[in-house]
Amino acid sequence: MKSFGVHLFILVFLAAIASVSVTVQAFTGTYGINYGRIANNILSPDEVVTLLKAAKIKNVRIYDFDHNVIKAFSGTGLELVVGLPNENLRDVSANADHAMNWVKDNVQAYLPHTQIRGIAIGNEVLGGSDEFSGFLLGAVKNVYNALDRLKLSHVVQVTTAHSQAVFDDSFPPSSCVFKDNVVQYMKPLLEFFSHIGSPFCLNAYPFLAYMYNKDRIDINYALFLPTEGADDPKTKLHYDNLLDAQIDAAYAALEKAGFGKMEVIITETGWASHGDENEAAATASNARTYNYNLRKRLAKMKGTPLRPKNAVKAYVFAIFNENLKPGATSERNFGLFKPDGSISYDIGFHGYKSSSADSSLPSLKEIRAAGWFGSYSLLTMATALVLLF
């Protein structure tokens, strides 16, 4: 009888485990990169894969579903998030069959050889023009339902990325709320994402926040450099860098909307290395400082003051400077690499064709091994290197 009881317990235990649904995660590390391709002079997808593997960057996000790119990632071990562009939202939202065909043609057909871990439905749809706002939720549901019917919803995560234009009153972080004209679209979207276990994805740029508020923001605070920081009078939390404050502002807005347990992931962040006359902060020195310190910040695998247990995850923007992007000069100069694959500035990566000057700064593995995190003296030294260059 004792043996029977033990076996019965084991069977019940295994059944309980089998009944627990596992939430898929598209971002399995803490450091990723955006692969933008609005350019006519950048490396081929195969060369990009070589570049990323050498840099040991596993998490990659693209903005479309280009088959040449998806094929290039086949068998590489790199994990890819593909995008459903804004202009496709109307069609996919209106017709479940179209969503199914899109998933079959652009996702299922390449699994499992290409490790497609996520689908980003649109980009920065809410908060600006309402041209696509009404189609976002329908597209999200139809794509997810297609994945579910194909038994892929446990393999591929569905998300969408928001700009900070969806927020009102983001400083101090505890005051942040969603804009009134966004709530009607955001609330049902968050309800669905909460149901399927998807995170809140945010494009957060301390560079832009500083550019628009130079009289109120210390540039050191935006660049992760030593500064007095800022205090939130409501929560009594102290912030020593602007990105953490931006993330916690999103957490505060989510909590007020009733989604306090939802994770925030940064899907874009970066700093321009060159800009127009009115973009004085867009320099190679500042871009190097921000991106090097961002790597160190993410390697700590720690959370923010408001959510200390949620390790910060971020996709840096971007692999390349993109010469065909419209707008200000800064828009074309966010790349960690130049179009030929050489480094734009040194943050510890090697270029596509390495040279002795490619990486005078240490790798993250060397940083961890040396126990440099939290060392003010090292930060001072790193700052000195930035100024030297």
Side-chain angles (χ1 to χ4, degrees), residues 286-299:
N286 286 341
R288 181 189 296 114
T289 301
Y290 181 82
N291 281 296
Y292 180 64
N293 288 335
L294 174 67
R295 286 189 72 205
K296 291 199 299 178
R297 166 70 181 85
L298 297 174

Side-chain angles (χ1 to χ4, degrees), residues 10-196:
I10 292 173
L11 289 172
V12 171
F13 179 72
L14 292 175
I17 292 176
S19 67
V20 176
S21 61
V22 178
T23 300
V24 61
Q25 291 190 346
F27 199 163
T28 55
T30 59
Y31 188 93
I33 199 161
N34 286 280
Y35 178 12
R37 306 189 317 282
I38 306 178
N40 60 7
N41 59 352
I42 59 177
L43 298 180
S44 71
D46 289 328
E47 292 170 322
V48 169
V49 165
T50 301
L51 179 68
L52 294 175
K53 291 181 75 172
K56 295 181 171 61
I57 300 176
K58 183 177 72 170
N59 297 285
V60 186
R61 180 172 172 258
I62 61 176
Y63 292 88
D64 56 18
F65 48 94
D66 187 286
H67 290 185
N68 290 326
V69 174
I70 298 175
K71 288 176 183 176
F73 279 77
S74 177
T76 63
L78 303 180
E79 298 184 354
L80 190 64
V81 172
V82 299
L84 179 72
N86 291 0
E87 57 266 26
N88 294 100
L89 295 181
R90 183 192 302 265
D91 181 52
V92 171
S93 174
N95 193 310
D97 289 337
H98 290 180
M100 175 62 77
N101 290 335
W102 187 91
V103 171
K104 285 181 176 179
D105 292 343
N106 303 296
V107 177
Q108 185 188 40
Y110 297 95
L111 294 172
H113 303 293
T114 299
Q115 294 186 29
I116 300 175
R117 301 298 299 267
I119 303 173
I121 310 296
N123 186 54
E124 298 188 348
V125 174
L126 306 182
S129 164
D130 281 340
E131 182 180 1
F132 303 109
S133 297
F135 309 116
L136 180 58
L137 180 59
V140 165
K141 286 184 174 181
N142 281 347
V143 168
Y144 177 80
N145 289 338
L147 289 170
D148 201 41
R149 286 171 57 192
L150 296 170
K151 302 188 185 308
L152 294 175
S153 59
H154 67 292
V155 176
V156 182
Q157 186 180 66
V158 176
T159 62
T160 189
H162 304 286
S163 75
Q164 291 183 299
V166 300
F167 299 131
D168 253 341
D169 303 323
S170 58
F171 185 83
S174 61
S175 67
C176 189
V177 294
F178 290 110
K179 287 181 177 177
D180 289 340
N181 64 336
V182 167
V183 171
Q184 61 174 318
Y185 302 111
M186 185 67 76
K187 190 72 179 290
L189 184 66
L190 293 176
E191 287 174 350
F192 187 72
F193 279 156
S194 179
H195 174 68
I196 65 174

Side-chain angles (χ1 to χ4, degrees), residues 224-227 296 371-383:
F224 301 97
L225 291 174
T227 177
K296 291 199 299 178
W372 282 5
F373 289 121
S375 168
Y376 177 84
S377 61
L378 177 78
L379 191 54
T380 304
M381 184 176 75
T383 307

Side-chain angles (χ1 to χ4, degrees), residues 134-384:
F135 309 116
L136 180 58
L137 180 59
V140 165
K141 286 184 174 181
N142 281 347
V143 168
Y144 177 80
N145 289 338
L147 289 170
D148 201 41
R149 286 171 57 192
L150 296 170
K151 302 188 185 308
L152 294 175
S153 59
H154 67 292
V155 176
V156 182
Q157 186 180 66
V158 176
T159 62
T160 189
H162 304 286
S163 75
Q164 291 183 299
V166 300
F167 299 131
D168 253 341
D169 303 323
S170 58
F171 185 83
S174 61
S175 67
C176 189
V177 294
F178 290 110
K179 287 181 177 177
D180 289 340
N181 64 336
V182 167
V183 171
Q184 61 174 318
Y185 302 111
M186 185 67 76
K187 190 72 179 290
L189 184 66
L190 293 176
E191 287 174 350
F192 187 72
F193 279 156
S194 179
H195 174 68
I196 65 174
S198 291
F200 181 87
C201 294
L202 177 67
N203 298 341
Y205 287 90
F207 167 72
L208 296 177
Y210 172 75
M211 289 288 293
Y212 296 142
N213 299 277
K214 285 181 279 190
D215 56 332
R216 294 189 295 164
I217 296 177
D218 178 1
I219 193 168
N220 288 344
Y221 181 61
L223 292 172
F224 301 97
L225 291 174
T227 177
E228 291 183 1
D231 295 309
D232 189 315
K234 181 178 178 181
T235 61
K236 309 301 181 187
L237 294 174
H238 178 75
Y239 292 88
D240 59 15
N241 70 82
L242 180 52
L243 183 64
D244 277 9
Q246 290 177 322
I247 295 170
D248 277 358
Y251 275 124
L254 287 169
E255 190 166 350
K256 290 170 186 172
F259 302 93
K261 295 182 179 180
M262 186 172 287
E263 181 184 16
V264 173
I265 290 177
I266 300 302
T267 35
E268 286 182 21
T269 190
W271 198 285
S273 60
H274 185 59
D276 294 320
E277 289 185 6
N278 64 340
E279 298 177 303
T283 67
S285 176
N286 286 341
R288 181 189 296 114
T289 301
Y290 181 82
N291 281 296
Y292 180 64
N293 288 335
L294 174 67
R295 286 189 72 205
K296 291 199 299 178
R297 166 70 181 85
L298 297 174
K300 293 179 183 180
M301 298 182 182
K302 73 169 191 175
T304 61
L306 188 62
R307 293 288 188 273
K309 294 182 180 180
N310 290 5
V312 174
K313 302 176 180 180
Y315 290 90
V316 67
F317 186 85
I319 298 179
F320 296 116
N321 291 334
E322 299 173 77
N323 68 327
L324 298 182
K325 288 198 76 173
T329 298
S330 61
E331 287 290 326
R332 294 179 287 281
N333 290 278
F334 273 90
L336 299 186
F337 299 92
K338 296 176 182 178
D340 65 357
S342 60
I343 57 174
S344 296
Y345 39 79
D346 189 0
I347 64 168
F349 291 135
H350 293 285
Y352 180 65
K353 295 180 179 179
S354 299
S355 70
S356 59
D358 253 4
S359 184
S360 60
L361 293 178
S363 69
L364 288 192
K365 184 176 180 181
E366 292 167 333
I367 291 171
R368 290 196 192 101
W372 282 5
F373 289 121
S375 168
Y376 177 84
S377 61
L378 177 78
L379 191 54
T380 304
M381 184 176 75
T383 307

